[in-house]
Amino acid sequence: MSTNRRIVIAVFPDVDLLDVTGPAEVFALANRETGGAAGYQVQLAGRTHGAVTTSAGVRLVADLTFAEVSGVLDTLLIPGAVDPGPEGPIARIDQDVVTWLKDAAPLARRVASVCVGAHLLAAAGLLDGKTATTHWSTAAQLAAEHPAVTVDPDPIFVRCGNVWTGAGISACMDLALALVAEDLGEEVALAVARQLVMYLKRQGGQSQFSVPLSRPPAARRDIDDLRMYIADNLDGDLSAGALATRMCLSERHFARVFRQETGTTPAAYVEAARVETARRLLESTDQPLDQVAAACGLGSVETLHRALRKQIGTTPAAYRRRFRTT
């Protein structure tokens, strides 16, 4: 017998399209994978009935108005929207959504935001005293405007009680899969991930960034090329001296140029890249720790332990237990 899981997703002018359709597709596939037993029923709620134009120009149709949302809800899902700013995107605060949220949130078993929708939850007071994430580009805005919220810009999603917040754009799929896993178990969530041809059902504590993406592009092409070389040769000699020789620079001059272009030292960058690869191996393989250490260039299990504790505050075994995906 199926369980009725009513999910209401807010829609409003210029809402990010994928924030709405991505999670909706995850829930639809969960229904299909379980022969309907999942019981997800997705409704779109807006200020008025009718079409709502998204940021992509595609129009969505609200099933009901905010005022018509009543009764018990399983999940209230809040997407986001941004406006251009002089230094990057600025999260838009739709006051109609904020006002409705204050009344609707108590009706729901859980409340979740995707991307910059976290700013709407914060404006409604739903994140006070909680840890939350959002798209990395608006994390500073969220922290500045809502000091009662502990903003962590790194994770893909964060759960704090019955409130979930997700990171930017495609991470909405990861958050929706996590909700499915909570409701129906990991097996169903992984089956949905396979149908979506997602590389991996990523866990919430994982970073929004890879090491190359977390650093801005260098003004010098040769430094960007070197960063790619580092990523492809983690088990090789990546000492400052070896990298300086590759760049045909003195070690001191190379260190100065690298820091100027990347904001960090060669040694710190290499260690971060090696830890990232170690994390992927711990998540996706059962390789012994000595093999993981060797593959990512950390050399020994002791160095692997030390690097993970320094970078992410945990041990390899603890990280694998939490994030290992079958």
Side-chain angles (χ1 to χ4, degrees), residues 11-13 44 46-54 58-63:
V11 292
F12 49 93
L44 304 184
R47 185 173 61 84
T48 61
H49 286 287
V52 176
T53 303
T54 68
V58 176
R59 290 183 294 176
L60 302 172
V61 178
D63 300 299

Side-chain angles (χ1 to χ4, degrees), residues 33-49:
E33 287 295 318
T34 59
Y40 290 118
Q41 298 178 357
V42 176
Q43 295 177 305
L44 304 184
R47 185 173 61 84
T48 61
H49 286 287

Side-chain angles (χ1 to χ4, degrees), residues 1 4 7 58 110 128 195 209 220 227 230 240 264 276:
M1 185 175 64
N4 182 13
I7 298 173
V58 176
R110 63 189 173 196
D128 288 354
Q195 290 297 323
F209 310 105
R220 291 178 53 145
R227 288 160 67 176
I230 291 170
T264 189
E276 179 182 294

Side-chain angles (χ1 to χ4, degrees), residues 18 21-26 29 114 156-157 167-179 192 196 198 201-202:
L18 187 60
T21 58
E25 185 66 16
V26 169
L29 286 172
V114 292
I156 293 171
F157 60 83
I169 313 299
S170 63
C172 69
M173 311 287 277
D174 299 286
L175 184 143
L177 284 167
L179 299 180
V192 172
L196 290 166
M198 292 179 69
K201 191 180 78 65
R202 300 180 293 178

Side-chain angles (χ1 to χ4, degrees), residues 96-119:
D96 289 328
V97 177
V98 173
T99 300
W100 169 67
L101 263 175
K102 295 177 181 179
D103 296 327
L107 304 176
R109 178 174 69 91
R110 63 189 173 196
V111 178
S113 67
V114 292
C115 198
V116 296
H119 293 257

Side-chain angles (χ1 to χ4, degrees), residues 6-218:
R6 184 182 175 208
I7 298 173
V8 174
I9 305 176
V11 292
F12 49 93
D14 295 320
V15 66
D16 286 333
L17 178 63
L18 187 60
D19 286 2
V20 178
T21 58
E25 185 66 16
V26 169
F27 298 128
L29 286 172
N31 283 340
R32 192 172 77 183
E33 287 295 318
T34 59
Y40 290 118
Q41 298 178 357
V42 176
Q43 295 177 305
L44 304 184
R47 185 173 61 84
T48 61
H49 286 287
V52 176
T53 303
T54 68
S55 60
V58 176
R59 290 183 294 176
L60 302 172
V61 178
D63 300 299
L64 65 169
T65 67
F66 292 146
E68 292 171 343
V69 176
S70 61
V72 177
L73 307 178
D74 181 81
T75 305
L76 192 60
L77 193 63
I78 308 302
V82 296
D83 291 315
E87 298 181 0
I90 300 172
R92 178 185 299 183
I93 304 302
D94 188 297
Q95 289 300 333
D96 289 328
V97 177
V98 173
T99 300
W100 169 67
L101 263 175
K102 295 177 181 179
D103 296 327
L107 304 176
R109 178 174 69 91
R110 63 189 173 196
V111 178
S113 67
V114 292
C115 198
V116 296
H119 293 257
L120 297 171
L121 296 191
L126 300 179
L127 298 183
D128 288 354
K130 295 181 170 62
T131 298
T133 193
T134 185
H135 192 280
W136 60 267
S137 66
T138 65
Q141 177 192 351
L142 183 61
E145 294 178 353
H146 301 281
V149 182
T150 301
V151 179
D152 187 344
D154 194 47
I156 293 171
F157 60 83
V158 170
R159 179 184 184 180
C160 196
N162 72 330
V163 177
W164 301 62
T165 51
I169 313 299
S170 63
C172 69
M173 311 287 277
D174 299 286
L175 184 143
L177 284 167
L179 299 180
V180 170
E182 181 187 47
D183 296 340
L184 306 171
E186 289 287 338
E187 186 175 346
V188 173
L190 287 169
V192 172
R194 285 193 294 270
Q195 290 297 323
L196 290 166
V197 199
M198 292 179 69
Y199 172 68
L200 179 69
K201 191 180 78 65
R202 300 180 293 178
Q203 304 296 311
Q206 290 174 286
S207 175
Q208 296 187 40
F209 310 105
S210 66
V211 170
L213 288 177
S214 66
R215 309 288 181 184

